[in-house]
Amino acid sequence: MRQKPGNVQPYLQHWHMFLEHCADMGHANMIQAAMPKMAYSGCPPNNRTFKILFKAMFNSGATLNDFTRAFDTIEQYTFWYDKDVANMLYSGFVKLNRLSQAKQIKKEFNQRFRNRAIKESPRLLEWEEDLALEVERHGLVSAIDLCKVLQKSGYNIHHRTLSILLRRSHHISDLEFAKTSLDLQASPSHWSIIITNAIRAGDLATALSSYAHFRSTGLPLSAPLLQPLISALCASAFRDNDDKPIDHALELYDELARAFPSSSPNAALHRDDPGFMRERSTGPDAYMYGTLLRAMGTSVDVQKYSGVAVSLLAEMEARAIPLQSPIILSSLIVIAMRCSSGVDEALEAYRRLARRHNAPRITARCYQWILNTLSQLNFGEDGSPPSIWHYFEIVKDMRLSGQAVTPAIYAQLLKRLAQLAPDAPEDMKHSLAACVRRVHDHLTLDPTITPDTLLWNQLMDSYQRVGLFAEAYRVWEILLVSENFDHASVSIILDACGFANAWPLAQRVYSRLTERSFLLNQGNWDAYVECMCRVGKLNNAVKLVCLEMGKDQKDVAPHKDTIRLLLTFATRSNQQDEVLSRIQRYLPDLWEELPAELGEFVIKPEHIMTTSQ
């Protein structure tokens, strides 16, 4: 919703409308998956959310153990003991004729949550929901006015009130106004809301400025307050291909580490959870170390951070934080591989870390990152093809660990081979061609994988880029016969025909698509026009552009880039004037849109970019 026109920020009512639908359909897992997203979006789950979850669980036939695990999830959020929820759970099992389990679940629920009973007015939940809705609909000022009205009915303003009022604020001015209006003191958690909201709004500069103001208050630091800043800085480093934000993130980490030395009893809080910890410590924790190490793994100058990574590992050990996060392990593997002097050393670094005793289980996404890093390693000035043998040794480990080897694992290696081909010397191009063939062999012999269209497209494109047109065309025929091709497939094979000077086959591609009533998109038409130009059929291409392209599809009519393409090839035979004349005659509307200085359309042939590129 935030990414669509209007940039609507969904509030709790929107979430509950969606979750009610999920409950009716019995999609309890989807509701549980939505909860952390709700919290991240500024709409943390409340009692009503959990009632919807339990409704969904009954509709999906959940077991007693499923409900017990759901209680573990609820404990992470603000949940007030509600006798109605206890009765709802009891009644649900009674209706299923499971009386003993009904008594058991009610007893478990009461033991877990009775200490969270509301000691204030029983209308507290209702009042707080009204305040949250007022903030969402009418903003902070209106919500503060409502707060004062509710006070007259018995509502006591407290720490959580300020959190509710600030749920959409990302400026210090809102915090100061709310504090003054309600005569409340702000805690680090309130500053964390302001900082986190600014980051969600894409305003990292304001978040950093707010943090600077926070430091001047003398309030204590904590990991939940600094983590959003560190995560945002690390994301910025990756997005902008710049290491400076990583350095800034490390400075923030150092501030927290100094505030909570490793000898401090509050320095760390850890669980036996092998993934990122959801319970946050006040000092540096596994989640923060994982964020920093992952950023170092993707840094521009990885050598610069190799020593820092080692020191962070020592810090983790001093804080008794076990190395049980797959993100941390895969980050260390990637850093070690990128700091290696050769591909054999890189593989040995992987073996040493991934296969050590008690190493955490690497996830599918982490394996994909490790494999992509291996395929990108370059140890010579002229580059070299990725080692297929090394790559598939890690793929074998991935399969043995129980992770599914997806088409993306093959596609990313093929993509890398295709990227190396255009500028490769002739002998290396032969090596790349052999690599593509070996990847295809592995794919053919792998019984656990069913290639999708994206993978077939990448294989076809890689074949054509390394100069193996016949193999590329065979892949196209597989796609055509199985009816698994898409618009990208069409552009790739037309490009391949053009570069291979295979005009009869290009005509065959076009005719077989016509037989299937397949509508070409803009990229397909441009690829066909370029193919004609490359095989010396410039007149045919001009005729196609002037009389056929966009005839029955207005969204694929010729455009400026189409004319640029024609003129690029027309300059080779000094036919640009003739081409322009025909454009002016048959496409007068497009002619009017062309720049006055047509010379800018006449570019050197070697600068042309193919459609698929």
Short mmCIF file of all heavy atoms in Angstrom, two decimals, residues 522-554:
data_model
loop_
_atom_site.label_atom_id
_atom_site.label_comp_id
_atom_site.label_asym_id
_atom_site.label_seq_id
_atom_site.Cartn_x
_atom_site.Cartn_y
_atom_site.Cartn_z
N GLN A 522 6.75 -4.39 -26.74
CA GLN A 522 7.62 -3.38 -27.32
C GLN A 522 9.04 -3.90 -27.50
O GLN A 522 9.67 -3.72 -28.54
CB GLN A 522 7.64 -2.14 -26.41
CG GLN A 522 8.38 -0.95 -27.00
CD GLN A 522 7.58 -0.24 -28.06
OE1 GLN A 522 6.48 0.24 -27.79
NE2 GLN A 522 8.10 -0.15 -29.26
N GLY A 523 9.55 -4.60 -26.46
CA GLY A 523 10.91 -5.12 -26.55
C GLY A 523 11.05 -6.17 -27.64
O GLY A 523 12.10 -6.23 -28.31
N ASN A 524 10.02 -7.00 -27.83
CA ASN A 524 10.07 -8.02 -28.89
C ASN A 524 10.13 -7.39 -30.27
O ASN A 524 10.93 -7.82 -31.13
CB ASN A 524 8.85 -8.93 -28.81
CG ASN A 524 8.74 -9.70 -27.52
OD1 ASN A 524 7.66 -10.08 -27.10
ND2 ASN A 524 9.87 -9.92 -26.86
N TRP A 525 9.29 -6.38 -30.51
CA TRP A 525 9.31 -5.70 -31.81
C TRP A 525 10.67 -5.05 -32.07
O TRP A 525 11.23 -5.16 -33.17
CB TRP A 525 8.21 -4.63 -31.86
CG TRP A 525 6.84 -5.17 -32.14
CD1 TRP A 525 5.80 -5.28 -31.27
CD2 TRP A 525 6.35 -5.66 -33.40
NE1 TRP A 525 4.71 -5.82 -31.89
CE2 TRP A 525 5.01 -6.07 -33.20
CE3 TRP A 525 6.91 -5.83 -34.66
CZ2 TRP A 525 4.22 -6.60 -34.22
CZ3 TRP A 525 6.13 -6.36 -35.68
CH2 TRP A 525 4.80 -6.74 -35.45
N ASP A 526 11.20 -4.39 -31.05
CA ASP A 526 12.51 -3.75 -31.23
C ASP A 526 13.59 -4.80 -31.49
O ASP A 526 14.51 -4.57 -32.29
CB ASP A 526 12.87 -2.93 -29.99
CG ASP A 526 12.06 -1.64 -29.90
OD1 ASP A 526 11.50 -1.22 -30.93
OD2 ASP A 526 12.01 -1.05 -28.80
N ALA A 527 13.49 -5.94 -30.82
CA ALA A 527 14.46 -7.02 -31.06
C ALA A 527 14.35 -7.55 -32.48
O ALA A 527 15.37 -7.84 -33.13
CB ALA A 527 14.24 -8.14 -30.05
N TYR A 528 13.13 -7.67 -33.00
CA TYR A 528 12.92 -8.15 -34.36
C TYR A 528 13.46 -7.14 -35.38
O TYR A 528 14.10 -7.51 -36.37
CB TYR A 528 11.43 -8.42 -34.59
CG TYR A 528 11.13 -9.25 -35.81
CD1 TYR A 528 11.96 -10.29 -36.21
CD2 TYR A 528 9.99 -9.00 -36.57
CE1 TYR A 528 11.68 -11.07 -37.33
CE2 TYR A 528 9.69 -9.77 -37.70
CZ TYR A 528 10.55 -10.80 -38.07
OH TYR A 528 10.26 -11.56 -39.18
N VAL A 529 13.20 -5.86 -35.12
CA VAL A 529 13.71 -4.81 -36.00
C VAL A 529 15.23 -4.84 -36.01
O VAL A 529 15.88 -4.77 -37.06
CB VAL A 529 13.20 -3.44 -35.54
CG1 VAL A 529 13.92 -2.31 -36.29
CG2 VAL A 529 11.68 -3.32 -35.76
N GLU A 530 15.84 -4.97 -34.84
CA GLU A 530 17.30 -5.00 -34.75
C GLU A 530 17.86 -6.22 -35.46
O GLU A 530 18.90 -6.15 -36.13
CB GLU A 530 17.73 -4.98 -33.29
CG GLU A 530 19.24 -4.98 -33.11
CD GLU A 530 19.67 -4.92 -31.66
OE1 GLU A 530 18.92 -4.37 -30.84
OE2 GLU A 530 20.77 -5.42 -31.37
N CYS A 531 17.17 -7.36 -35.30
CA CYS A 531 17.61 -8.58 -35.97
C CYS A 531 17.63 -8.37 -37.48
O CYS A 531 18.61 -8.74 -38.16
CB CYS A 531 16.67 -9.73 -35.60
SG CYS A 531 17.03 -11.29 -36.44
N MET A 532 16.57 -7.77 -38.04
CA MET A 532 16.53 -7.48 -39.48
C MET A 532 17.71 -6.61 -39.89
O MET A 532 18.37 -6.87 -40.91
CB MET A 532 15.22 -6.77 -39.82
CG MET A 532 13.99 -7.65 -39.76
SD MET A 532 12.53 -6.69 -40.22
CE MET A 532 11.29 -7.98 -40.21
N CYS A 533 17.98 -5.59 -39.11
CA CYS A 533 19.08 -4.67 -39.44
C CYS A 533 20.42 -5.40 -39.43
O CYS A 533 21.27 -5.19 -40.30
CB CYS A 533 19.10 -3.50 -38.47
SG CYS A 533 17.67 -2.39 -38.60
N ARG A 534 20.62 -6.26 -38.44
CA ARG A 534 21.90 -6.96 -38.31
C ARG A 534 22.16 -7.92 -39.46
O ARG A 534 23.31 -8.15 -39.83
CB ARG A 534 21.95 -7.71 -36.98
CG ARG A 534 22.15 -6.82 -35.78
CD ARG A 534 22.56 -7.59 -34.55
NE ARG A 534 22.73 -6.68 -33.43
CZ ARG A 534 23.81 -5.94 -33.21
NH1 ARG A 534 24.84 -6.04 -34.06
NH2 ARG A 534 23.89 -5.14 -32.19
N VAL A 535 21.09 -8.51 -40.00
CA VAL A 535 21.29 -9.48 -41.09
C VAL A 535 21.19 -8.81 -42.46
O VAL A 535 21.09 -9.49 -43.49
CB VAL A 535 20.26 -10.63 -40.99
CG1 VAL A 535 20.42 -11.37 -39.67
CG2 VAL A 535 18.83 -10.13 -41.16
N GLY A 536 21.22 -7.47 -42.49
CA GLY A 536 21.23 -6.75 -43.76
C GLY A 536 19.86 -6.53 -44.37
O GLY A 536 19.75 -6.26 -45.58
N LYS A 537 18.80 -6.62 -43.59
CA LYS A 537 17.44 -6.43 -44.09
C LYS A 537 16.89 -5.08 -43.63
O LYS A 537 15.80 -4.98 -43.08
CB LYS A 537 16.53 -7.56 -43.58
CG LYS A 537 16.99 -8.96 -43.94
CD LYS A 537 16.82 -9.24 -45.43
CE LYS A 537 17.22 -10.67 -45.78
NZ LYS A 537 17.08 -10.96 -47.21
N LEU A 538 17.67 -4.01 -43.88
CA LEU A 538 17.27 -2.69 -43.41
C LEU A 538 15.94 -2.25 -44.02
O LEU A 538 15.07 -1.72 -43.32
CB LEU A 538 18.35 -1.66 -43.74
CG LEU A 538 18.04 -0.21 -43.33
CD1 LEU A 538 17.86 -0.11 -41.82
CD2 LEU A 538 19.15 0.73 -43.80
N ASN A 539 15.75 -2.48 -45.31
CA ASN A 539 14.50 -2.08 -45.96
C ASN A 539 13.31 -2.81 -45.35
O ASN A 539 12.24 -2.22 -45.15
CB ASN A 539 14.57 -2.34 -47.47
CG ASN A 539 15.49 -1.34 -48.19
OD1 ASN A 539 15.67 -0.22 -47.71
ND2 ASN A 539 16.07 -1.75 -49.30
N ASN A 540 13.49 -4.10 -45.06
CA ASN A 540 12.42 -4.86 -44.41
C ASN A 540 12.10 -4.29 -43.03
O ASN A 540 10.94 -4.21 -42.62
CB ASN A 540 12.81 -6.33 -44.25
CG ASN A 540 13.05 -7.01 -45.57
OD1 ASN A 540 13.92 -6.61 -46.34
ND2 ASN A 540 12.29 -8.07 -45.85
N ALA A 541 13.17 -3.89 -42.33
CA ALA A 541 12.97 -3.34 -40.99
C ALA A 541 12.20 -2.02 -41.05
O ALA A 541 11.29 -1.79 -40.25
CB ALA A 541 14.33 -3.13 -40.31
N VAL A 542 12.56 -1.15 -42.01
CA VAL A 542 11.86 0.14 -42.15
C VAL A 542 10.40 -0.11 -42.51
O VAL A 542 9.49 0.54 -41.99
CB VAL A 542 12.56 1.02 -43.20
CG1 VAL A 542 11.76 2.31 -43.42
CG2 VAL A 542 13.98 1.35 -42.76
N LYS A 543 10.16 -1.06 -43.40
CA LYS A 543 8.79 -1.40 -43.80
C LYS A 543 7.99 -1.90 -42.59
O LYS A 543 6.83 -1.52 -42.40
CB LYS A 543 8.82 -2.45 -44.90
CG LYS A 543 7.44 -2.86 -45.39
CD LYS A 543 7.54 -3.92 -46.48
CE LYS A 543 6.16 -4.39 -46.93
NZ LYS A 543 6.25 -5.45 -47.97
N LEU A 544 8.61 -2.76 -41.78
CA LEU A 544 7.94 -3.29 -40.59
C LEU A 544 7.57 -2.17 -39.63
O LEU A 544 6.44 -2.11 -39.12
CB LEU A 544 8.86 -4.30 -39.89
CG LEU A 544 8.29 -4.96 -38.64
CD1 LEU A 544 7.30 -6.05 -39.01
CD2 LEU A 544 9.41 -5.55 -37.77
N VAL A 545 8.52 -1.25 -39.42
CA VAL A 545 8.28 -0.14 -38.50
C VAL A 545 7.17 0.77 -39.02
O VAL A 545 6.29 1.21 -38.26
CB VAL A 545 9.58 0.65 -38.26
CG1 VAL A 545 9.30 1.95 -37.51
CG2 VAL A 545 10.60 -0.20 -37.50
N CYS A 546 7.19 1.06 -40.30
CA CYS A 546 6.24 2.03 -40.87
C CYS A 546 4.84 1.46 -41.05
O CYS A 546 3.84 2.19 -40.92
CB CYS A 546 6.76 2.54 -42.22
SG CYS A 546 8.24 3.56 -42.10
N LEU A 547 4.73 0.16 -41.35
CA LEU A 547 3.43 -0.38 -41.75
C LEU A 547 2.84 -1.42 -40.79
O LEU A 547 1.61 -1.61 -40.79
CB LEU A 547 3.54 -1.01 -43.15
CG LEU A 547 4.00 -0.07 -44.27
CD1 LEU A 547 4.11 -0.83 -45.58
CD2 LEU A 547 3.06 1.12 -44.41
N GLU A 548 3.66 -2.10 -40.01
CA GLU A 548 3.13 -3.20 -39.20
C GLU A 548 3.23 -2.97 -37.70
O GLU A 548 2.30 -3.31 -36.96
CB GLU A 548 3.86 -4.50 -39.56
CG GLU A 548 3.64 -4.97 -40.99
CD GLU A 548 4.34 -6.30 -41.26
OE1 GLU A 548 4.29 -7.18 -40.37
OE2 GLU A 548 4.95 -6.44 -42.33
N MET A 549 4.31 -2.42 -37.24
CA MET A 549 4.55 -2.30 -35.80
C MET A 549 3.49 -1.42 -35.15
O MET A 549 3.32 -0.26 -35.51
CB MET A 549 5.95 -1.71 -35.57
CG MET A 549 6.38 -1.73 -34.12
SD MET A 549 8.10 -1.19 -33.99
CE MET A 549 8.29 -1.14 -32.22
N GLY A 550 2.78 -1.99 -34.20
CA GLY A 550 1.75 -1.23 -33.49
C GLY A 550 0.44 -1.09 -34.23
O GLY A 550 -0.45 -0.36 -33.78
N LYS A 551 0.30 -1.80 -35.34
CA LYS A 551 -0.93 -1.66 -36.15
C LYS A 551 -2.16 -2.09 -35.34
O LYS A 551 -3.19 -1.44 -35.37
CB LYS A 551 -0.80 -2.51 -37.41
CG LYS A 551 -2.00 -2.43 -38.33
CD LYS A 551 -1.80 -3.29 -39.57
CE LYS A 551 -3.00 -3.23 -40.50
NZ LYS A 551 -2.81 -4.11 -41.70
N ASP A 552 -2.04 -3.21 -34.63
CA ASP A 552 -3.15 -3.70 -33.83
C ASP A 552 -2.90 -3.56 -32.33
O ASP A 552 -3.72 -3.97 -31.52
CB ASP A 552 -3.41 -5.19 -34.15
CG ASP A 552 -3.75 -5.38 -35.62
OD1 ASP A 552 -4.54 -4.58 -36.14
OD2 ASP A 552 -3.21 -6.33 -36.23
N GLN A 553 -1.74 -3.00 -31.95
CA GLN A 553 -1.40 -2.82 -30.54
C GLN A 553 -0.82 -1.40 -30.37
O GLN A 553 0.33 -1.15 -30.68
CB GLN A 553 -0.33 -3.82 -30.10
CG GLN A 553 -0.78 -5.27 -30.10
CD GLN A 553 0.40 -6.18 -29.81
OE1 GLN A 553 1.03 -6.71 -30.73
NE2 GLN A 553 0.72 -6.36 -28.53
N LYS A 554 -1.64 -0.50 -29.86
CA LYS A 554 -1.20 0.88 -29.74
C LYS A 554 -0.09 1.06 -28.71
O LYS A 554 0.68 2.01 -28.78
CB LYS A 554 -2.40 1.77 -29.35
CG LYS A 554 -3.51 1.79 -30.40
CD LYS A 554 -2.99 2.26 -31.75
CE LYS A 554 -4.10 2.27 -32.80
NZ LYS A 554 -3.59 2.62 -34.14
#
